Amino acid sequence: MKNKILALAVLFLATTGIQAQQIDRSQQPKAGPAPEINLGKPETFTLKNGLKVLVVENHKLPRVSMTLTMDNPPHAEGDKAGVSGLMGSVLGEGTKDIPKDKFNEEIDYLGASVNFFSRGASANTLSKYFPRVLELMSKGALNPNFTQEQFETEKERALENIKASEKDVASNARRISSALSYGKNHPYGEFSTKESIEALTLADIQNYYKNYYVPQNAYLVVIGDVKTPEVKKLVEKNFGSWKKSELPKNTLQNVKNVPETQVNFVDFPNAVQSEVQVTNTIQLQKGDPDYFPVLIANKILGGGGEARLFLNLREDKGYTYGAYSSTGDDKYVARFVASASVRNAVTDSAVVAFLDELHRIRNEKVSAEELENAKAKYTGDFVLALERPSTIAQYALNIETDNLPQDFYQTYLKKINAVTAEDIQRVAKKYYLADNARIVVVGKGSEVAEPLENLTYNGKDIPVKYFDKYANAIEKPDYNKKVDPSMTAAKVFDKYIQAVGGKDAVNDIESVYMIAQAEIQGQKMDLETKVTSSGKSSTVISMGGNVVQKQIFNGATGFVAAQGQKIPYTEEQVVAAKAEAHPFPELIAENATLEGIEDVDGEEAYAVKMDETTTNYYSKDSGLKVKQVKTMKQGPQTMTIPITYSDYREVEGVKFPFQLSQTMGAMTLIFQVSDVKVNEDVTDADFE
């Protein structure tokens, strides 16, 4: 069901007594002067150990925020990749003189928040509790209690996160793209693995803390209802004992772009859509003259729903739900990235669309309307952000860490307004390297590799290079595994029926009632499905005890009920429901075809096309159904929804999956089945 959002636009026209004045409406009104930005100038002081403190007094609300940041040069962790993140997870779990539970209880009692991470800490509190919260933050940061028990807990959590992300195509695409762009040995390109985390010890995180959690490149920003003399006294008391320590020597390897545009392909057999990133590394800092033209160029190219990439790939072509770009800035090295998640069938076409837009912004001046709209949007976002105290704190910190002029943000909007169409074209040619870009594609090789191999642009072939999920170069895999000519869809179905319990046991089943639960954004979602061998089905989704959606099919007609509306099935939906309204649709399948053998989560599976919208996958070894992929139309968009089946258990002599994992876009729901009832608690009334 689509949520209907009503937008109300009100245009108020004010007139004056000078009605005789003629207005030339053919000319766009000139923009007014950029508004003056009045940021609170911080008071600064530096402790003997090198910690620099910035204080911005703001007495509008009785609140104080604190941010401790270490601006250390980036460094590679090598075979100990992941040690910084693990250290940050253990940091703040109590101190040597305050147990973990007591530490957290006091923070909760004060109504404050205190967080710790590998390169600093942050806290927010009411101003009357500022002295104690600052003290607690300093104790957690400077006097941590690294225990073996907490280390093992956080280590196990890190391993679980790695395992959970193994099948997440989008997160893997981001990781692989960074590794290929910067290099696996570069701090911005390296990543932790199961092996690197397992090898870490408590001594490793203690050593990392000792070497890198040091004050000489550290900044403490305090903003809110405080007095600078009081802050200075408290900071000297709580952070004055922090000992200076020389950082280990590190050499940052050089980063190079590819000599010609190329596709870097990584196969994820479970991908139902391709993750595409067109990227190149750049040298751009906030203090560079190009910084402001780049901000506007990126806003026009891919900075939102009104930008060119979005309008082209989504609104015009319907390849994706969104296409965006980002242009980073960094003291050392950064990246330009244009990205989208697209349907497998249009992966090669999406690559062409990306290249079209990159060449267009490089070769043609942007229109006056685009330029003014981008400036207006950026101005609005900038002014809105100023309402957040955290923004003010970050700006003050940026001035220090990026060596910016003191009036950098006061003159920010003036510099935005000064950007011209010529500036946009100049920086686009410099930073958007359409002829030296990596086109990183992470997707299903059996469906998208061949079209990518045949890809050309401006009459020139685009080479394709293959990599594994660890960003190692490999030879092109064989994506078209041969099927024994004697194997058919009917034989695959027979093996499946035999695997779940045999034909006699399956034929005795007249109805199946399944109850399952999942979590979405911290809330419990209940799923109940009922299906009969006579061709009826019911699916009910509830949250908090309230039904949010119903799908009912009585064997001839059906409907979807949600948000107070009841929408009858279309003819196509009736046909699809008839094909699936059975505890074992394989018994009633008609015209199913065996498409080939594909990899599903590391095991070979027969791909059987059930109809135009559904493909099922059956393990070659066990015969069990391990996956289903459905393709659905939603307006101009086509959505592909995969469901994986696992944890088969026997109920009344027949095996059923007790875990169902469903992916929709970037969201994955994992349903744990709590009960399966065979031939009970299902009546005709359930399908009315």
Side-chain angles (χ1 to χ4, degrees):
M1 296 292 297
K2 294 182 179 178
N3 290 326
K4 295 183 178 179
I5 302 174
L6 300 179
L8 178 63
V10 179
L11 177 63
F12 180 76
L13 301 177
T15 60
T16 68
I18 314 176
Q19 297 186 10
Q21 181 178 352
Q22 297 296 315
I23 300 174
D24 184 359
R25 301 188 183 277
S26 66
Q27 298 295 321
Q28 183 172 344
K30 293 183 178 180
E36 291 291 333
I37 303 300
N38 186 18
L39 297 178
K41 185 177 179 181
E43 298 288 338
T44 63
F45 59 90
T46 304
L47 301 190
K48 291 180 180 179
N49 56 20
L51 173 65
K52 188 161 188 177
V53 185
L54 296 81
V55 184
V56 179
E57 294 188 22
N58 185 330
H59 303 287
K60 292 181 179 179
L61 293 172
R63 297 203 62 84
V64 185
S65 66
M66 298 151 269
T67 305
L68 175 67
T69 302
M70 279 151 228
D71 188 36
N72 295 332
H75 56 275
E77 297 172 6
D79 58 2
K80 297 187 185 300
V83 64
S84 60
L86 195 54
M87 185 277 289
S89 298
V90 181
L91 192 68
E93 296 294 338
T95 73
K96 289 179 180 177
D97 56 349
I98 307 177
K100 171 186 172 182
D101 291 342
K102 187 175 180 181
F103 186 85
N104 292 333
E105 285 173 6
E106 183 172 3
I107 291 171
D108 289 341
Y109 176 76
L110 296 174
S113 66
V114 181
N115 299 291
F116 299 88
F117 34 93
S118 62
R119 296 180 64 179
S122 64
N124 286 279
T125 180
L126 291 172
S127 51
K128 64 180 178 180
Y129 300 130
F130 165 65
R132 179 55 178 167
V133 173
L134 179 68
E135 182 181 14
L136 288 171
M137 187 174 84
S138 71
K139 286 179 178 291
L142 309 187
N143 196 28
N145 189 25
F146 292 137
T147 66
Q148 186 68 37
E149 179 183 6
Q150 191 61 39
F151 168 75
E152 294 296 340
T153 298
E154 295 300 332
K155 182 176 179 178
E156 185 61 33
R157 187 171 295 162
L159 290 170
E160 288 175 359
N161 289 338
I162 290 175
K163 183 178 180 181
S165 66
E166 285 179 349
K167 299 176 185 179
D168 188 331
V169 181
S171 65
N172 277 280
R174 290 189 292 270
R175 172 180 59 80
I176 293 167
S177 179
S178 294
L180 292 174
S181 297
Y182 295 114
K184 292 171 59 178
N185 297 322
H186 191 280
Y188 296 167
E190 71 177 357
F191 51 86
S192 58
T193 63
K194 176 176 177 287
E195 292 74 22
S196 69
I197 295 296
E198 285 179 337
L200 293 176
T201 65
L202 179 62
D204 289 328
I205 70 167
Q206 291 172 328
N207 289 334
Y208 187 89
Y209 172 84
K210 179 181 177 182
N211 289 331
Y212 291 101
Y213 215 88
V214 294
Q216 57 264 41
N217 294 320
Y219 296 84
L220 177 63
V221 179
V222 180
I223 184 167
D225 187 24
V226 293
K227 296 289 186 181
T228 301
E230 178 196 17
V231 173
K232 186 173 183 179
K233 179 180 177 182
L234 290 170
V235 171
E236 287 176 340
K237 174 184 175 182
N238 291 293
F239 287 91
S241 62
W242 195 2
K243 293 183 179 178
K244 226 175 166 181
S245 176
E246 288 303 317
L247 289 164
K249 299 293 183 183
N250 289 287
T251 302
L252 202 61
Q253 72 175 41
N254 291 328
V255 172
K256 295 181 179 180
N257 287 304
V258 291
E260 62 177 346
T261 292
Q262 60 181 240
V263 172
N264 292 174
F265 184 75
V266 182
D267 179 38
F268 265 67
N270 66 305
V272 296
Q273 56 188 6
S274 296
E275 300 292 330
V276 180
Q277 288 197 1
V278 182
T279 180
N280 58 262
T281 59
I282 60 175
Q283 297 289 337
L284 178 68
Q285 300 182 30
K286 286 185 174 66
D288 292 345
D290 289 341
Y291 178 71
F292 291 96
V294 167
L295 290 181
I296 300 302
N298 186 79
K299 180 68 74 175
I300 292 171
L301 177 65
E306 306 85 9
R308 290 180 173 185
L309 289 175
F310 192 97
L311 295 176
N312 185 336
L313 277 84
R314 173 180 167 137
E315 299 300 327
D316 181 35
K317 296 184 171 65
Y319 291 164
T320 178
Y321 279 95
Y324 306 94
S325 67
S326 63
T327 310
D329 61 87
D330 190 274
K331 288 190 292 186
Y332 304 96
V333 65
R335 276 204 303 161
F336 161 73
V337 181
S339 62
S341 301
V342 303
R343 291 182 286 119
N344 291 344
V346 299
T347 302
D348 55 333
S349 300
V351 169
V352 171
F354 273 116
L355 292 177
D356 283 344
E357 292 301 340
L358 289 183
H359 281 282
R360 179 184 167 206
I361 199 168
R362 286 164 53 91
N363 298 332
E364 302 173 10
K365 290 181 184 178
V366 300
S367 69
E369 182 180 7
E370 284 180 302
L371 184 59
E372 291 306 315
N373 287 344
K375 289 179 180 180
K377 185 70 168 63
Y378 220 99
T379 298
D381 292 343
F382 181 81
V383 173
L384 188 63
L386 292 177
E387 297 178 5
R388 300 190 292 269
S390 59
T391 300
I392 307 298
Q394 186 60 55
Y395 288 171
L397 183 60
N398 289 346
I399 289 172
E400 294 292 333
T401 58
D402 291 282
N403 195 27
L404 301 173
Q406 289 297 315
D407 66 348
F408 181 81
Y409 289 103
Q410 275 86 355
T411 60
Y412 199 91
L413 295 183
K414 290 181 181 178
K415 291 172 182 175
I416 288 289
N417 282 341
V419 173
T420 66
E422 289 78 12
D423 291 331
I424 300 295
Q425 187 174 13
R426 173 178 56 78
V427 298
K429 288 182 176 180
K430 184 176 179 180
Y431 297 102
Y432 304 159
L433 306 183
D435 297 319
N436 304 95
R438 287 184 187 272
I439 305 171
V440 181
V441 181
V442 178
K444 188 173 183 177
S446 60
E447 295 186 11
V448 304
E450 185 175 347
L452 289 173
E453 289 271 11
N454 298 323
L455 192 60
T456 63
Y457 193 81
N458 286 340
K460 185 179 179 181
D461 292 340
I462 298 179
V464 180
K465 299 181 183 297
Y466 293 88
F467 296 84
D468 64 17
K469 64 180 180 180
Y470 299 108
N472 299 312
I474 60 172
E475 294 296 321
K476 180 183 177 181
D478 180 10
Y479 296 121
N480 300 307
K481 297 176 181 177
K482 294 182 179 179
V483 181
D484 185 335
S486 65
M487 199 65 182
T488 64
K491 289 182 178 180
V492 173
F493 292 160
D494 288 343
K495 187 175 180 180
Y496 164 66
I497 295 299
Q498 189 62 36
V500 296
K503 205 160 190 177
D504 291 341
V506 167
N507 284 334
D508 286 340
I509 295 180
E510 296 179 356
S511 68
V512 174
Y513 176 17
M514 184 197 74
I515 304 171
Q517 296 79 36
E519 277 197 7
I520 176 171
Q521 298 178 345
Q523 292 188 326
K524 182 180 176 183
M525 174 184 286
D526 295 301
L527 170 68
E528 292 188 6
T529 65
K530 296 181 180 182
V531 62
T532 71
S533 59
S534 62
K536 299 177 181 180
S537 64
S538 164
T539 300
V540 179
I541 298 173
S542 305
M543 294 187 73
N546 298 314
V547 174
V548 295
Q549 189 182 79
K550 254 186 197 182
Q551 294 186 49
I552 305 295
F553 182 66
N554 63 12
T557 61
F559 63 87
V560 177
Q563 297 181 338
Q565 297 186 35
K566 184 176 179 180
I567 303 176
Y569 274 8
T570 63
E571 290 183 12
E572 291 81 4
Q573 287 173 316
V574 169
V575 172
K578 285 182 177 179
E580 292 192 342
H582 194 285
F584 300 93
E586 290 76 9
L587 295 177
I588 61 172
E590 297 179 355
N591 303 319
T593 57
L594 178 57
E595 298 291 294
I597 296 176
E598 296 185 17
D599 185 285
V600 176
D601 296 337
E603 67 174 321
E604 292 186 338
Y606 291 113
V608 179
K609 190 171 183 179
M610 307 295 286
D611 53 42
E612 291 301 316
T613 64
T614 306
T615 300
N616 288 348
Y617 297 82
Y618 303 84
S619 169
K620 187 178 177 183
D621 292 333
S622 70
L624 294 172
K625 180 159 57 180
V626 292
K627 185 178 179 180
Q628 180 184 82
V629 176
K630 293 185 72 66
T631 302
M632 302 172 57
K633 279 281 189 182
Q634 192 173 49
Q637 307 294 328
T638 300
M639 177 182 288
T640 305
I641 302 175
I643 303 174
T644 58
Y645 305 97
S646 59
D647 190 19
Y648 275 82
R649 303 180 196 176
E650 189 173 304
V651 179
E652 302 290 337
V654 178
K655 291 181 179 178
F656 295 90
F658 270 66
Q659 180 170 298
L660 293 77
S661 178
Q662 182 175 8
T663 301
M664 292 179 291
M667 180 176 64
T668 298
L669 294 176
I670 299 177
F671 287 95
Q672 300 291 343
V673 177
S674 57
D675 197 9
V676 172
K677 299 180 181 182
V678 174
N679 297 339
E680 61 175 303
D681 292 343
V682 176
T683 68
D684 287 341
D686 295 320
F687 310 105
E688 295 178 353

